[in-house]
Amino acid sequence: SCALPGGCSALCTASHPGGQWPMELIGQRLRELPRQRLKTAAKDKSASVLVPLCLDALARPSVLLCVRAAHLRAHAGEICFPGGRADPGDADAAATALREAQEELGLEPARVTILGEMSPVLSSGRMVVTPVVGAIDVIGGAGLEPLDASRLVLNSSEVAAAFALPLEHLLAPGTLTWHELHVGRESMPRYIPAFRLTAEQASALPYAAGQARPPGFPEGELSVWGMTGFVLHSFLSDVLQSGISRSKPGAT
């Protein structure tokens, strides 16, 4: 059955095996997003992540993610997008995202077609992070070549693994879960999105076994959550307009 509302469309076919990312439509949606500005004291408080759209080895529309190395002091084993702080020599947010993706995953900037930017978000470390959406290995301006993530040359000092998570899994019933997060003096909890990985997907990522988990999340299960989960959820709901739940059902 169709994962998207309104029947089969350019977006719907992307959620089916053998489909393609509708890059022109995604670019248009990104341009139409309302622009939000977050105040930051200095450029060293700015960062970017690349939201890399690809086809996996089975030619399924997917999102490329990486697992942070287990020896890192912060966020070890976390599933995330490639990205990091802006350098003084970076021309813009896209330049930062492309440089970081090359440093972490060995992904040459020439292989990435930038489709646009999402609204910046504030990380837990008070960093202003701009998500930059890009498509990997575009051919003929309309489609993508399948990507074998196992062939990427990873920077082992930062990244333990890279893998492609299919769109059809992200939109499948039961993948998206919501978790309570109590923040400071706020009287009401916030609800944060998390995307559960299947047991098979988790077994292929032993490097992520030590990741921090959302409150109440079962030990041994893996998910994409935190800022990465928030950005991924925003992409699926606001850019792809997939019909995915925008908030926890029943939450105010």
Side-chain angles (χ1 to χ4, degrees), residues 55-105:
L55 297 185
D56 69 5
L58 299 178
R60 299 175 297 185
S62 304
V63 178
L64 182 67
L65 295 160
C66 53
V67 180
R68 286 174 58 84
H71 65 265
L72 295 174
R73 287 183 294 177
H75 308 292
E78 180 182 285
I79 297 173
C80 60
F81 293 121
R85 284 177 181 262
D87 278 356
D90 293 338
D92 51 26
T96 300
L98 291 173
R99 175 182 54 75
E100 288 287 340
Q102 183 172 28
E103 291 176 1
E104 295 177 5
L105 306 180

mmCIF file of all heavy atoms in Angstrom, residues 55-105:
data_model
loop_
_atom_site.group_PDB
_atom_site.id
_atom_site.type_symbol
_atom_site.label_atom_id
_atom_site.label_comp_id
_atom_site.label_asym_id
_atom_site.label_seq_id
_atom_site.Cartn_x
_atom_site.Cartn_y
_atom_site.Cartn_z
ATOM 1 N N LEU A 55 20.628 6.086 -3.147
ATOM 2 C CA LEU A 55 20.027 4.776 -3.346
ATOM 3 C C LEU A 55 20.952 3.775 -2.675
ATOM 4 O O LEU A 55 22.180 3.867 -2.818
ATOM 5 C CB LEU A 55 19.900 4.429 -4.834
ATOM 6 C CG LEU A 55 18.995 5.308 -5.707
ATOM 7 C CD1 LEU A 55 18.908 4.709 -7.114
ATOM 8 C CD2 LEU A 55 17.615 5.478 -5.109
ATOM 9 N N ASP A 56 20.393 2.827 -1.914
ATOM 10 C CA ASP A 56 21.256 1.828 -1.289
ATOM 11 C C ASP A 56 21.679 0.787 -2.318
ATOM 12 O O ASP A 56 21.378 0.895 -3.518
ATOM 13 C CB ASP A 56 20.579 1.212 -0.064
ATOM 14 C CG ASP A 56 19.374 0.338 -0.408
ATOM 15 O OD1 ASP A 56 19.091 0.123 -1.605
ATOM 16 O OD2 ASP A 56 18.705 -0.138 0.534
ATOM 17 N N ALA A 57 22.403 -0.233 -1.863
ATOM 18 C CA ALA A 57 22.930 -1.243 -2.782
ATOM 19 C C ALA A 57 21.827 -2.007 -3.505
ATOM 20 O O ALA A 57 22.067 -2.610 -4.563
ATOM 21 C CB ALA A 57 23.837 -2.206 -2.018
ATOM 22 N N LEU A 58 20.595 -1.984 -2.955
ATOM 23 C CA LEU A 58 19.451 -2.634 -3.599
ATOM 24 C C LEU A 58 18.612 -1.635 -4.396
ATOM 25 O O LEU A 58 17.485 -1.944 -4.790
ATOM 26 C CB LEU A 58 18.576 -3.325 -2.540
ATOM 27 C CG LEU A 58 19.252 -4.426 -1.713
ATOM 28 C CD1 LEU A 58 18.292 -4.984 -0.675
ATOM 29 C CD2 LEU A 58 19.772 -5.532 -2.625
ATOM 30 N N ALA A 59 19.172 -0.437 -4.619
ATOM 31 C CA ALA A 59 18.530 0.614 -5.414
ATOM 32 C C ALA A 59 17.254 1.141 -4.769
ATOM 33 O O ALA A 59 16.318 1.547 -5.453
ATOM 34 C CB ALA A 59 18.255 0.141 -6.846
ATOM 35 N N ARG A 60 17.214 1.155 -3.426
ATOM 36 C CA ARG A 60 16.079 1.725 -2.701
ATOM 37 C C ARG A 60 16.425 3.136 -2.251
ATOM 38 O O ARG A 60 17.519 3.352 -1.714
ATOM 39 C CB ARG A 60 15.740 0.865 -1.479
ATOM 40 C CG ARG A 60 15.332 -0.563 -1.800
ATOM 41 C CD ARG A 60 15.144 -1.378 -0.530
ATOM 42 N NE ARG A 60 16.391 -1.506 0.216
ATOM 43 C CZ ARG A 60 16.530 -2.245 1.326
ATOM 44 N NH1 ARG A 60 15.488 -2.904 1.811
ATOM 45 N NH2 ARG A 60 17.695 -2.311 1.946
ATOM 46 N N PRO A 61 15.529 4.113 -2.451
ATOM 47 C CA PRO A 61 15.786 5.457 -1.919
ATOM 48 C C PRO A 61 16.059 5.395 -0.418
ATOM 49 O O PRO A 61 15.274 4.810 0.342
ATOM 50 C CB PRO A 61 14.490 6.204 -2.234
ATOM 51 C CG PRO A 61 13.959 5.519 -3.458
ATOM 52 C CD PRO A 61 14.286 4.062 -3.247
ATOM 53 N N SER A 62 17.172 5.984 0.006
ATOM 54 C CA SER A 62 17.644 5.836 1.381
ATOM 55 C C SER A 62 18.328 7.112 1.843
ATOM 56 O O SER A 62 18.612 8.019 1.057
ATOM 57 C CB SER A 62 18.645 4.670 1.470
ATOM 58 O OG SER A 62 18.092 3.461 1.000
ATOM 59 N N VAL A 63 18.602 7.153 3.138
ATOM 60 C CA VAL A 63 19.371 8.241 3.744
ATOM 61 C C VAL A 63 20.660 7.642 4.284
ATOM 62 O O VAL A 63 20.642 6.606 4.967
ATOM 63 C CB VAL A 63 18.571 8.911 4.873
ATOM 64 C CG1 VAL A 63 19.401 10.001 5.538
ATOM 65 C CG2 VAL A 63 17.268 9.501 4.341
ATOM 66 N N LEU A 64 21.786 8.259 3.965
ATOM 67 C CA LEU A 64 23.080 7.776 4.438
ATOM 68 C C LEU A 64 23.351 8.319 5.836
ATOM 69 O O LEU A 64 23.257 9.525 6.078
ATOM 70 C CB LEU A 64 24.188 8.212 3.479
ATOM 71 C CG LEU A 64 25.599 7.744 3.819
ATOM 72 C CD1 LEU A 64 25.715 6.223 3.684
ATOM 73 C CD2 LEU A 64 26.623 8.419 2.901
ATOM 74 N N LEU A 65 23.683 7.420 6.752
ATOM 75 C CA LEU A 65 23.983 7.780 8.133
ATOM 76 C C LEU A 65 25.318 7.185 8.538
ATOM 77 O O LEU A 65 25.821 6.259 7.887
ATOM 78 C CB LEU A 65 22.884 7.270 9.066
ATOM 79 C CG LEU A 65 21.498 7.904 8.881
ATOM 80 C CD1 LEU A 65 20.413 7.013 9.469
ATOM 81 C CD2 LEU A 65 21.460 9.284 9.523
ATOM 82 N N CYS A 66 25.885 7.695 9.605
ATOM 83 C CA CYS A 66 27.130 7.120 10.104
ATOM 84 C C CYS A 66 27.025 6.880 11.607
ATOM 85 O O CYS A 66 26.135 7.393 12.274
ATOM 86 C CB CYS A 66 28.331 8.005 9.767
ATOM 87 S SG CYS A 66 28.214 9.720 10.256
ATOM 88 N N VAL A 67 27.944 6.072 12.122
ATOM 89 C CA VAL A 67 28.011 5.749 13.545
ATOM 90 C C VAL A 67 29.307 6.331 14.097
ATOM 91 O O VAL A 67 30.400 6.039 13.588
ATOM 92 C CB VAL A 67 27.978 4.227 13.787
ATOM 93 C CG1 VAL A 67 28.046 3.915 15.281
ATOM 94 C CG2 VAL A 67 26.739 3.607 13.159
ATOM 95 N N ARG A 68 29.191 7.158 15.115
ATOM 96 C CA ARG A 68 30.382 7.765 15.709
ATOM 97 C C ARG A 68 31.239 6.707 16.406
ATOM 98 O O ARG A 68 30.729 5.741 16.972
ATOM 99 C CB ARG A 68 29.979 8.859 16.701
ATOM 100 C CG ARG A 68 29.482 10.120 16.004
ATOM 101 C CD ARG A 68 28.956 11.136 16.998
ATOM 102 N NE ARG A 68 29.951 11.541 17.984
ATOM 103 C CZ ARG A 68 30.864 12.492 17.775
ATOM 104 N NH1 ARG A 68 30.919 13.121 16.613
ATOM 105 N NH2 ARG A 68 31.712 12.816 18.727
ATOM 106 N N ALA A 69 32.546 6.887 16.343
ATOM 107 C CA ALA A 69 33.493 5.930 16.898
ATOM 108 C C ALA A 69 33.273 5.729 18.395
ATOM 109 O O ALA A 69 32.907 6.664 19.121
ATOM 110 C CB ALA A 69 34.923 6.396 16.631
ATOM 111 N N ALA A 70 33.519 4.504 18.860
ATOM 112 C CA ALA A 70 33.236 4.137 20.247
ATOM 113 C C ALA A 70 34.165 4.808 21.247
ATOM 114 O O ALA A 70 33.811 4.961 22.417
ATOM 115 C CB ALA A 70 33.325 2.622 20.399
ATOM 116 N N HIS A 71 35.355 5.246 20.793
ATOM 117 C CA HIS A 71 36.316 5.823 21.734
ATOM 118 C C HIS A 71 36.125 7.321 21.954
ATOM 119 O O HIS A 71 36.816 7.924 22.785
ATOM 120 C CB HIS A 71 37.748 5.580 21.228
ATOM 121 C CG HIS A 71 38.056 6.281 19.935
ATOM 122 N ND1 HIS A 71 37.936 5.642 18.723
ATOM 123 C CD2 HIS A 71 38.438 7.553 19.662
ATOM 124 C CE1 HIS A 71 38.258 6.489 17.760
ATOM 125 N NE2 HIS A 71 38.555 7.653 18.302
ATOM 126 N N LEU A 72 35.209 7.934 21.240
ATOM 127 C CA LEU A 72 35.003 9.379 21.383
ATOM 128 C C LEU A 72 34.431 9.717 22.760
ATOM 129 O O LEU A 72 33.622 8.970 23.305
ATOM 130 C CB LEU A 72 34.079 9.898 20.285
ATOM 131 C CG LEU A 72 34.626 9.806 18.860
ATOM 132 C CD1 LEU A 72 33.558 10.205 17.855
ATOM 133 C CD2 LEU A 72 35.859 10.688 18.698
ATOM 134 N N ARG A 73 34.827 10.856 23.311
ATOM 135 C CA ARG A 73 34.357 11.241 24.645
ATOM 136 C C ARG A 73 32.896 11.657 24.635
ATOM 137 O O ARG A 73 32.194 11.480 25.626
ATOM 138 C CB ARG A 73 35.227 12.387 25.189
ATOM 139 C CG ARG A 73 36.628 11.961 25.616
ATOM 140 C CD ARG A 73 37.386 13.116 26.210
ATOM 141 N NE ARG A 73 37.648 14.164 25.214
ATOM 142 C CZ ARG A 73 38.244 15.322 25.486
ATOM 143 N NH1 ARG A 73 38.631 15.591 26.712
ATOM 144 N NH2 ARG A 73 38.458 16.205 24.538
ATOM 145 N N ALA A 74 32.441 12.223 23.534
ATOM 146 C CA ALA A 74 31.056 12.690 23.450
ATOM 147 C C ALA A 74 30.313 11.950 22.343
ATOM 148 O O ALA A 74 30.840 11.765 21.252
ATOM 149 C CB ALA A 74 31.014 14.195 23.188
ATOM 150 N N HIS A 75 29.118 11.499 22.677
ATOM 151 C CA HIS A 75 28.208 10.887 21.689
ATOM 152 C C HIS A 75 28.789 9.631 21.031
ATOM 153 O O HIS A 75 28.514 9.343 19.865
ATOM 154 C CB HIS A 75 27.829 11.908 20.613
ATOM 155 C CG HIS A 75 27.298 13.197 21.147
ATOM 156 N ND1 HIS A 75 26.076 13.289 21.800
ATOM 157 C CD2 HIS A 75 27.824 14.449 21.157
ATOM 158 C CE1 HIS A 75 25.874 14.541 22.168
ATOM 159 N NE2 HIS A 75 26.917 15.257 21.804
ATOM 160 N N ALA A 76 29.574 8.867 21.778
ATOM 161 C CA ALA A 76 30.145 7.635 21.228
ATOM 162 C C ALA A 76 29.032 6.673 20.813
ATOM 163 O O ALA A 76 28.045 6.496 21.530
ATOM 164 C CB ALA A 76 31.040 6.969 22.266
ATOM 165 N N GLY A 77 29.198 6.066 19.644
ATOM 166 C CA GLY A 77 28.225 5.097 19.145
ATOM 167 C C GLY A 77 26.944 5.706 18.617
ATOM 168 O O GLY A 77 26.038 4.984 18.195
ATOM 169 N N GLU A 78 26.864 7.021 18.608
ATOM 170 C CA GLU A 78 25.641 7.696 18.158
ATOM 171 C C GLU A 78 25.484 7.572 16.644
ATOM 172 O O GLU A 78 26.452 7.664 15.888
ATOM 173 C CB GLU A 78 25.706 9.165 18.547
ATOM 174 C CG GLU A 78 24.512 9.994 18.139
ATOM 175 C CD GLU A 78 24.683 11.451 18.526
ATOM 176 O OE1 GLU A 78 24.553 11.756 19.726
ATOM 177 O OE2 GLU A 78 24.964 12.275 17.640
ATOM 178 N N ILE A 79 24.254 7.331 16.205
ATOM 179 C CA ILE A 79 23.942 7.323 14.774
ATOM 180 C C ILE A 79 23.623 8.760 14.371
ATOM 181 O O ILE A 79 22.779 9.410 14.979
ATOM 182 C CB ILE A 79 22.764 6.391 14.476
ATOM 183 C CG1 ILE A 79 23.126 4.950 14.845
ATOM 184 C CG2 ILE A 79 22.366 6.477 12.999
ATOM 185 C CD1 ILE A 79 21.961 3.979 14.754
ATOM 186 N N CYS A 80 24.313 9.265 13.351
ATOM 187 C CA CYS A 80 24.197 10.679 13.030
ATOM 188 C C CYS A 80 24.443 10.937 11.548
ATOM 189 O O CYS A 80 24.830 10.041 10.796
ATOM 190 C CB CYS A 80 25.195 11.487 13.865
ATOM 191 S SG CYS A 80 26.916 11.022 13.572
ATOM 192 N N PHE A 81 24.219 12.181 11.152
ATOM 193 C CA PHE A 81 24.617 12.642 9.829
ATOM 194 C C PHE A 81 26.071 13.087 9.881
ATOM 195 O O PHE A 81 26.554 13.528 10.937
ATOM 196 C CB PHE A 81 23.758 13.835 9.397
ATOM 197 C CG PHE A 81 22.314 13.517 9.164
ATOM 198 C CD1 PHE A 81 21.319 14.159 9.889
ATOM 199 C CD2 PHE A 81 21.935 12.590 8.206
ATOM 200 C CE1 PHE A 81 19.985 13.882 9.671
ATOM 201 C CE2 PHE A 81 20.598 12.294 7.982
ATOM 202 C CZ PHE A 81 19.629 12.944 8.714
ATOM 203 N N PRO A 82 26.793 13.020 8.760
ATOM 204 C CA PRO A 82 28.133 13.606 8.749
ATOM 205 C C PRO A 82 28.031 15.116 8.897
ATOM 206 O O PRO A 82 27.108 15.753 8.379
ATOM 207 C CB PRO A 82 28.678 13.220 7.359
ATOM 208 C CG PRO A 82 27.463 12.965 6.521
ATOM 209 C CD PRO A 82 26.427 12.424 7.461
ATOM 210 N N GLY A 83 28.958 15.692 9.649
ATOM 211 C CA GLY A 83 28.917 17.139 9.829
ATOM 212 C C GLY A 83 29.817 17.585 10.958
ATOM 213 O O GLY A 83 30.465 16.776 11.627
ATOM 214 N N GLY A 84 29.865 18.891 11.173
ATOM 215 C CA GLY A 84 30.704 19.433 12.235
ATOM 216 C C GLY A 84 30.760 20.945 12.188
ATOM 217 O O GLY A 84 30.002 21.598 11.467
ATOM 218 N N ARG A 85 31.683 21.507 12.957
ATOM 219 C CA ARG A 85 31.829 22.952 13.086
ATOM 220 C C ARG A 85 32.246 23.599 11.764
ATOM 221 O O ARG A 85 32.964 23.002 10.968
ATOM 222 C CB ARG A 85 32.900 23.289 14.127
ATOM 223 C CG ARG A 85 32.492 23.112 15.571
ATOM 224 C CD ARG A 85 33.692 23.423 16.451
ATOM 225 N NE ARG A 85 33.397 23.250 17.862
ATOM 226 C CZ ARG A 85 33.070 24.240 18.688
ATOM 227 N NH1 ARG A 85 33.010 25.478 18.228
ATOM 228 N NH2 ARG A 85 32.824 24.002 19.967
ATOM 229 N N ALA A 86 31.823 24.838 11.589
ATOM 230 C CA ALA A 86 32.277 25.620 10.444
ATOM 231 C C ALA A 86 33.723 26.051 10.655
ATOM 232 O O ALA A 86 34.124 26.421 11.762
ATOM 233 C CB ALA A 86 31.384 26.844 10.264
ATOM 234 N N ASP A 87 34.520 25.951 9.600
ATOM 235 C CA ASP A 87 35.885 26.477 9.602
ATOM 236 C C ASP A 87 35.879 27.883 9.023
ATOM 237 O O ASP A 87 35.015 28.213 8.193
ATOM 238 C CB ASP A 87 36.790 25.584 8.751
ATOM 239 C CG ASP A 87 37.276 24.358 9.511
ATOM 240 O OD1 ASP A 87 36.964 24.248 10.717
ATOM 241 O OD2 ASP A 87 37.946 23.503 8.899
ATOM 242 N N PRO A 88 36.846 28.724 9.419
ATOM 243 C CA PRO A 88 36.892 30.091 8.874
ATOM 244 C C PRO A 88 36.941 30.131 7.351
ATOM 245 O O PRO A 88 36.447 31.071 6.729
ATOM 246 C CB PRO A 88 38.175 30.669 9.490
ATOM 247 C CG PRO A 88 38.370 29.892 10.750
ATOM 248 C CD PRO A 88 37.879 28.503 10.447
ATOM 249 N N GLY A 89 37.524 29.112 6.731
ATOM 250 C CA GLY A 89 37.653 29.100 5.277
ATOM 251 C C GLY A 89 36.425 28.597 4.541
ATOM 252 O O GLY A 89 36.383 28.638 3.300
ATOM 253 N N ASP A 90 35.394 28.137 5.269
ATOM 254 C CA ASP A 90 34.182 27.633 4.617
ATOM 255 C C ASP A 90 33.354 28.800 4.078
ATOM 256 O O ASP A 90 33.037 29.739 4.817
ATOM 257 C CB ASP A 90 33.332 26.822 5.603
ATOM 258 C CG ASP A 90 34.001 25.530 6.034
ATOM 259 O OD1 ASP A 90 34.892 25.044 5.298
ATOM 260 O OD2 ASP A 90 33.633 25.014 7.101
ATOM 261 N N ALA A 91 32.974 28.709 2.812
ATOM 262 C CA ALA A 91 32.224 29.807 2.196
ATOM 263 C C ALA A 91 30.814 29.918 2.749
ATOM 264 O O ALA A 91 30.272 31.009 2.865
ATOM 265 C CB ALA A 91 32.189 29.623 0.680
ATOM 266 N N ASP A 92 30.199 28.784 3.070
ATOM 267 C CA ASP A 92 28.811 28.781 3.545
ATOM 268 C C ASP A 92 28.521 27.448 4.220
ATOM 269 O O ASP A 92 29.422 26.612 4.389
ATOM 270 C CB ASP A 92 27.837 29.035 2.388
ATOM 271 C CG ASP A 92 28.083 28.115 1.190
ATOM 272 O OD1 ASP A 92 28.631 27.006 1.387
ATOM 273 O OD2 ASP A 92 27.704 28.497 0.057
ATOM 274 N N ALA A 93 27.256 27.260 4.614
ATOM 275 C CA ALA A 93 26.874 26.038 5.324
ATOM 276 C C ALA A 93 27.095 24.800 4.464
ATOM 277 O O ALA A 93 27.521 23.745 4.959
ATOM 278 C CB ALA A 93 25.405 26.126 5.752
ATOM 279 N N ALA A 94 26.818 24.905 3.164
ATOM 280 C CA ALA A 94 27.015 23.761 2.267
ATOM 281 C C ALA A 94 28.486 23.376 2.193
ATOM 282 O O ALA A 94 28.832 22.181 2.181
ATOM 283 C CB ALA A 94 26.465 24.085 0.878
ATOM 284 N N ALA A 95 29.365 24.368 2.167
ATOM 285 C CA ALA A 95 30.804 24.081 2.122
ATOM 286 C C ALA A 95 31.250 23.335 3.374
ATOM 287 O O ALA A 95 32.064 22.406 3.302
ATOM 288 C CB ALA A 95 31.585 25.386 1.958
ATOM 289 N N THR A 96 30.713 23.733 4.528
ATOM 290 C CA THR A 96 31.034 23.036 5.770
ATOM 291 C C THR A 96 30.559 21.588 5.717
ATOM 292 O O THR A 96 31.307 20.656 6.055
ATOM 293 C CB THR A 96 30.382 23.742 6.972
ATOM 294 O OG1 THR A 96 30.870 25.075 7.067
ATOM 295 C CG2 THR A 96 30.676 23.007 8.273
ATOM 296 N N ALA A 97 29.322 21.382 5.290
ATOM 297 C CA ALA A 97 28.758 20.037 5.241
ATOM 298 C C ALA A 97 29.545 19.138 4.287
ATOM 299 O O ALA A 97 29.827 17.973 4.602
ATOM 300 C CB ALA A 97 27.291 20.106 4.823
ATOM 301 N N LEU A 98 29.909 19.666 3.124
ATOM 302 C CA LEU A 98 30.654 18.878 2.142
ATOM 303 C C LEU A 98 32.056 18.550 2.650
ATOM 304 O O LEU A 98 32.548 17.427 2.474
ATOM 305 C CB LEU A 98 30.736 19.630 0.812
ATOM 306 C CG LEU A 98 29.417 19.769 0.039
ATOM 307 C CD1 LEU A 98 29.612 20.681 -1.164
ATOM 308 C CD2 LEU A 98 28.895 18.411 -0.394
ATOM 309 N N ARG A 99 32.711 19.521 3.274
ATOM 310 C CA ARG A 99 34.057 19.274 3.809
ATOM 311 C C ARG A 99 34.023 18.205 4.892
ATOM 312 O O ARG A 99 34.862 17.286 4.908
ATOM 313 C CB ARG A 99 34.639 20.587 4.360
ATOM 314 C CG ARG A 99 35.997 20.420 5.048
ATOM 315 C CD ARG A 99 36.509 21.736 5.613
ATOM 316 N NE ARG A 99 35.555 22.377 6.504
ATOM 317 C CZ ARG A 99 35.293 21.976 7.743
ATOM 318 N NH1 ARG A 99 35.904 20.904 8.249
ATOM 319 N NH2 ARG A 99 34.425 22.630 8.499
ATOM 320 N N GLU A 100 33.052 18.305 5.789
ATOM 321 C CA GLU A 100 32.958 17.322 6.873
ATOM 322 C C GLU A 100 32.638 15.930 6.330
ATOM 323 O O GLU A 100 33.171 14.926 6.820
ATOM 324 C CB GLU A 100 31.888 17.764 7.877
ATOM 325 C CG GLU A 100 32.286 18.954 8.735
ATOM 326 C CD GLU A 100 33.312 18.585 9.800
ATOM 327 O OE1 GLU A 100 33.427 17.382 10.123
ATOM 328 O OE2 GLU A 100 33.985 19.492 10.320
ATOM 329 N N ALA A 101 31.769 15.842 5.334
ATOM 330 C CA ALA A 101 31.435 14.541 4.752
ATOM 331 C C ALA A 101 32.654 13.906 4.093
ATOM 332 O O ALA A 101 32.841 12.682 4.146
ATOM 333 C CB ALA A 101 30.300 14.689 3.742
ATOM 334 N N GLN A 102 33.484 14.734 3.489
ATOM 335 C CA GLN A 102 34.711 14.208 2.888
ATOM 336 C C GLN A 102 35.700 13.755 3.956
ATOM 337 O O GLN A 102 36.320 12.690 3.842
ATOM 338 C CB GLN A 102 35.357 15.254 1.984
ATOM 339 C CG GLN A 102 36.603 14.737 1.255
ATOM 340 C CD GLN A 102 37.119 15.721 0.226
ATOM 341 O OE1 GLN A 102 36.937 16.930 0.360
ATOM 342 N NE2 GLN A 102 37.755 15.210 -0.811
ATOM 343 N N GLU A 103 35.829 14.557 5.024
ATOM 344 C CA GLU A 103 36.760 14.204 6.088
ATOM 345 C C GLU A 103 36.325 12.944 6.820
ATOM 346 O O GLU A 103 37.166 12.115 7.193
ATOM 347 C CB GLU A 103 36.886 15.364 7.079
ATOM 348 C CG GLU A 103 37.584 16.596 6.514
ATOM 349 C CD GLU A 103 37.590 17.757 7.495
ATOM 350 O OE1 GLU A 103 37.068 17.581 8.623
ATOM 351 O OE2 GLU A 103 38.100 18.836 7.133
ATOM 352 N N GLU A 104 35.036 12.780 7.049
ATOM 353 C CA GLU A 104 34.549 11.662 7.853
ATOM 354 C C GLU A 104 34.308 10.391 7.037
ATOM 355 O O GLU A 104 34.582 9.286 7.504
ATOM 356 C CB GLU A 104 33.251 12.067 8.557
ATOM 357 C CG GLU A 104 33.430 13.182 9.570
ATOM 358 C CD GLU A 104 32.117 13.611 10.201
ATOM 359 O OE1 GLU A 104 31.081 12.980 9.920
ATOM 360 O OE2 GLU A 104 32.123 14.577 10.989
ATOM 361 N N LEU A 105 33.766 10.556 5.815
ATOM 362 C CA LEU A 105 33.337 9.398 5.028
ATOM 363 C C LEU A 105 34.137 9.200 3.744
ATOM 364 O O LEU A 105 33.896 8.223 3.023
ATOM 365 C CB LEU A 105 31.847 9.533 4.659
ATOM 366 C CG LEU A 105 30.867 9.769 5.797
ATOM 367 C CD1 LEU A 105 29.449 9.884 5.249
ATOM 368 C CD2 LEU A 105 30.948 8.643 6.820
#
